[in-house]
């Protein structure tokens, strides 16, 4: 077997680079299963590394089941090391158009992601996160062997209690329960608050995972259109009277995908109607920290007997080291704590301590302030180029991550997204968000990812081409 030298890159540990190079050679079939590697002495000479570095890399490759070793004989490529092609797995996944368009939104796909649901890593305070992580790992308070606390790390819940108080929601610390992420928090709430056959009210358009999650619970979904003026409240009252939904799942501040925020008047009328028809609200406030001047949340206006509050840090802090939380009435909070314990849903104390340090030491507040300002500046620029491309913005930009735009006349959002994928651009057409299939001309744009000349150029070219095809078809 021939092993070539590696052009090591500064800034990345050599062990990691050796593991990646050897893994690639094995998985690409360059090294046949069962073949013997050169001796440790030969490999150290070829690679120009120490015996310690090489042995560390070989141990990691054995841990991945890519190599085997035999005392006195050396190292061998594992007989079952060849991995099945990814395409074979992808073919087992749903291949309908919406599923194909949805998957790139949830994965690292393409260099251009104007339809993505998270901020670029360059926008996040990665150094502050790493610093908090280093401090937590070194601290003796981190319990390596134990589980997290069922309700969540007490210092974090106390920090969240202070944060919520500043936002007009005063609660006891026992009413704050941490969850691994907001989707799991919602899933546990649905298991406690709804039964199969119940009716749940959603906005349209709304975050597509809401529909997917509710389908798992066997509930019936009815929708009300989210508009710049909130709702057609006469239509909302008729819907509440006719269908009697037990729950309404919504986002009051910077709704995904429209970016709409309820005004105080809209919020008051909404709370009045849902209380009249005994419809409990689950308020997903995942984007509120991105608003430059957020209004009071529904939970703060109505209290936790009428509204259960759900939030987290996956959008504002990190999509990877995520921690979320639920704020609920006392009995619901106690039931949720018990469900976490019984279902193994205890939140990682490592992540809880990282978020606690960033909240308590002020780095999160500073990061949030910088991020909000940066989003506002980028949003103005993205609004301008979208309008130059012929898009109409019905909602107007109030801050946050998203702009909801109607595409130029004749441009089909699904077809545009399909063409975008061919060029490594991920777009988010309206049909992904449960929008009426007859209105296929809308699209969600991520402000941070869209503030990029290359995104603008590619989108403009795609849109121009789609418009030309539409005009030719009419002729």
């Amino acid at each position: 077997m021939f092993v070539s030298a590696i052009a090591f890159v500064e800034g990345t540990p050599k062990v990691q680079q050796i593991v990646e190079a050897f893994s690639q050679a094995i998985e690409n079939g360059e090294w046949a299963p069962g073949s013997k590697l050169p001796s440790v002495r030969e490999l150290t000479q070829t690679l120009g590394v120490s015996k310690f570095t090489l042995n560390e890399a070989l141990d990691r490759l054995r841990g991945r089941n890519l190599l085997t070793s035999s005392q006195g004989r050396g190292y061998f490529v594992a007989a079952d090391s060849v991995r099945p092609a990814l395409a074979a797995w992808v073919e087992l996944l749903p291949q309908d158009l919406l599923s194909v368009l949805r998957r790139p939104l949830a994965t690292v796909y393409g260099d251009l992601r104007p339809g993505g649901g998270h901020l670029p890593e360059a926008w996040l305070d990665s150094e502050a996160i790493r610093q908090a992580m280093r401090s937590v790992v070194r601290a003796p308070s981190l319990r390596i062997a134990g589980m997290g606390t069922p309700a969540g790390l007490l210092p974090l819940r106390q920090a969240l209690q202070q944060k919520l108080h500043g936002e007009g929601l005063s609660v006891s610390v026992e009413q704050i329960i941490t969850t691994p992420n907001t989707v799991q928090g919602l899933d546990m709430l649905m298991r406690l608050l709804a039964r199969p056959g119940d009716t749940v009210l959603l906005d349209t358009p709304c975050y597509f995972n809401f529909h997917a999650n509710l389908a798992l619970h066997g509930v019936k979904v009815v929708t009300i259109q989210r508009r710049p003026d909130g709702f057609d409240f006469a239509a909302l009252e008729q819907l509440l009277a006719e269908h009697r939904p037990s729950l309404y799942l919504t986002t009051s501040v910077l709704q995904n995908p429209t970016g709409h925020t309820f005004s105080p008047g809209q919020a008051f009328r909404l709370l009045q109607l849902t209380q009249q028809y005994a419809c409990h609200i689950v308020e997903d406030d995942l984007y509120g920290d991105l608003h430059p001047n957020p209004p009071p949340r529904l939970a703060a206006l109505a209290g936790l007997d009428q509204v259960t509050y759900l939030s987290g840090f996956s959008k504002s802090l990190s999509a990877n080291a995520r921690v979320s939380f639920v704020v609920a009435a006392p009995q619901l909070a106690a039931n949720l704590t018990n469900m976490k314990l019984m279902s193994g849903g205890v939140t990682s104390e490592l992540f809880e301590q990282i978020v606690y340090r960033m909240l308590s030491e002020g780095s999160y507040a500073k990061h949030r302030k910088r991020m909000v300002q940066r989003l506002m500046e980028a949003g103005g620029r993205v609004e301008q180029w979208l309008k130059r491309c012929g898009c109409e913005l019905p909602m107007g930009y109030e801050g946050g991550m998203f702009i909801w735009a109607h595409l130029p006349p004749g441009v089909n959002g699904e077809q545009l997204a399909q063409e975008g994928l061919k060029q490594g651009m991920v777009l988010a057409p309206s049909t992904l968000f449960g929008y009426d299939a007859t209105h296929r001309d809308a699209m969600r744009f991520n402000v941070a990812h869209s503030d990029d000349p290359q995104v603008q150029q590619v989108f403009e070219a795609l849109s121009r081409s789609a418009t030309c095809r539409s005009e030719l078809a009419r002729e």
Side-chain angles (χ1 to χ4, degrees), residues 97-102 104-105 114-116 205-206 208 256-257 404-405 407 411-421 425-436 439-445 459:
L97 177 59
L98 293 186
S99 296
V100 170
L101 293 178
R102 187 181 294 131
L105 292 176
C206 72
F208 56 76
N256 178 10
W404 186 246
L407 300 171
V411 177
N412 182 293
E414 289 181 352
Q415 294 176 2
L416 196 70
Q418 283 182 293
E419 293 301 315
L421 288 179
M425 173 182 275
V426 178
L427 293 167
S430 59
T431 47
L432 289 175
F433 304 100
Y435 205 56
D436 189 338
H439 297 85
R440 298 189 175 184
D441 67 337
M443 188 165 280
R444 184 192 76 179
F445 290 86
F459 177 82

Side-chain angles (χ1 to χ4, degrees), residues 119-126 367 374 448-449:
L119 294 173
E121 185 166 351
W123 281 56
L124 304 176
D125 196 345
S126 300
H367 164 63
R374 191 173 181 181
H449 285 281

Side-chain angles (χ1 to χ4, degrees), residues 74-391:
Y75 289 87
F76 299 82
V77 177
D80 59 349
S81 61
V82 178
R83 299 293 187 262
L86 179 61
W89 166 250
V90 171
E91 288 172 0
L92 298 176
L93 299 174
Q95 295 301 306
D96 61 281
L97 177 59
L98 293 186
S99 296
V100 170
L101 293 178
R102 187 181 294 131
R103 280 196 288 272
L105 292 176
T107 58
V108 181
Y109 177 95
D111 296 325
L112 306 177
R113 301 181 57 80
H118 296 91
L119 294 173
E121 185 166 351
W123 281 56
L124 304 176
D125 196 345
S126 300
E127 182 52 38
I129 295 174
R130 290 189 175 93
Q131 183 175 344
M133 190 176 298
R134 288 191 292 267
S135 298
V136 168
V137 170
R138 289 195 298 263
S141 58
L142 178 63
R143 299 181 299 169
I144 301 298
M147 287 180 60
T149 306
L153 183 72
L154 180 59
L156 172 60
R157 291 159 59 217
Q158 291 171 331
L160 291 171
Q161 182 186 34
Q162 294 177 355
K163 182 178 185 294
L164 291 166
H165 182 75
E167 297 167 359
L169 184 58
S170 297
V171 296
S172 69
V173 72
E174 290 79 16
Q175 292 176 261
I176 303 171
I177 312 300
T178 65
T179 63
N181 54 66
T182 52
V183 173
Q184 289 191 16
L186 171 63
D187 186 72
M188 287 190 285
L189 284 173
M190 289 303 302
R191 289 158 68 182
L192 293 169
L193 296 174
R195 293 291 178 267
D198 286 359
T199 299
V200 176
L201 175 63
L202 290 179
D203 301 321
T204 184
C206 72
Y207 179 43
F208 56 76
N209 265 8
F210 287 172
H211 284 277
N213 188 273
L214 293 181
L216 297 175
H217 293 279
V219 300
K220 176 185 175 183
V221 172
V222 294
T223 60
I224 183 76
Q225 186 174 342
R226 190 79 173 248
R227 310 189 317 188
D229 60 350
F231 301 115
D232 177 341
F233 283 100
L236 175 61
E237 183 167 12
Q238 182 179 352
L239 185 151
L240 291 169
E242 180 180 352
H243 295 280
R244 297 286 174 168
S246 59
L247 293 174
Y248 171 39
L249 173 58
T250 190
T251 302
S252 65
V253 178
L254 297 176
Q255 191 247 11
N256 178 10
T258 65
H260 176 261
T261 298
F262 287 131
S263 69
Q266 294 166 3
F268 176 78
R269 182 59 177 149
L270 170 64
L271 291 169
Q272 186 181 50
L273 284 173
T274 51
Q275 183 179 42
Q276 179 181 342
Y277 289 94
C279 179
H280 188 81
I281 296 175
V282 176
E283 181 179 19
D284 175 17
D285 189 37
L286 194 54
Y287 302 91
D289 278 358
L290 304 180
H291 197 292
N293 187 27
R297 311 311 199 266
L298 299 177
L301 294 172
L304 295 172
D305 287 331
Q306 186 179 352
V307 182
T308 297
Y309 180 87
L310 175 66
S311 188
F313 300 92
S314 63
K315 303 299 181 182
S316 57
L317 188 58
S318 169
N320 203 353
R322 57 176 65 184
V323 172
S324 299
F325 59 97
V326 174
V327 187
Q331 187 59 60
L332 179 57
N335 293 344
L336 183 61
T337 301
N338 184 61
M339 176 173 285
K340 280 184 63 180
L341 184 61
M342 294 299 102
S343 63
V346 177
T347 314
S348 164
E349 191 170 299
L350 171 62
F351 290 164
E352 288 181 330
Q353 289 210 29
I354 291 169
V355 174
Y356 163 66
R357 282 182 179 268
M358 296 193 70
L359 287 174
S360 61
E361 295 174 1
S363 58
Y364 177 75
K366 294 176 184 177
H367 164 63
R368 176 188 172 275
K369 183 177 180 180
R370 289 193 300 267
M371 189 167 47
V372 167
Q373 181 61 36
R374 191 173 181 181
L375 282 168
M376 290 299 296
E377 293 171 356
R381 291 189 291 267
V382 173
E383 275 190 314
Q384 291 177 7
W385 75 251
L386 283 173
K387 290 177 180 178
R388 286 198 301 269
C389 288
C391 295

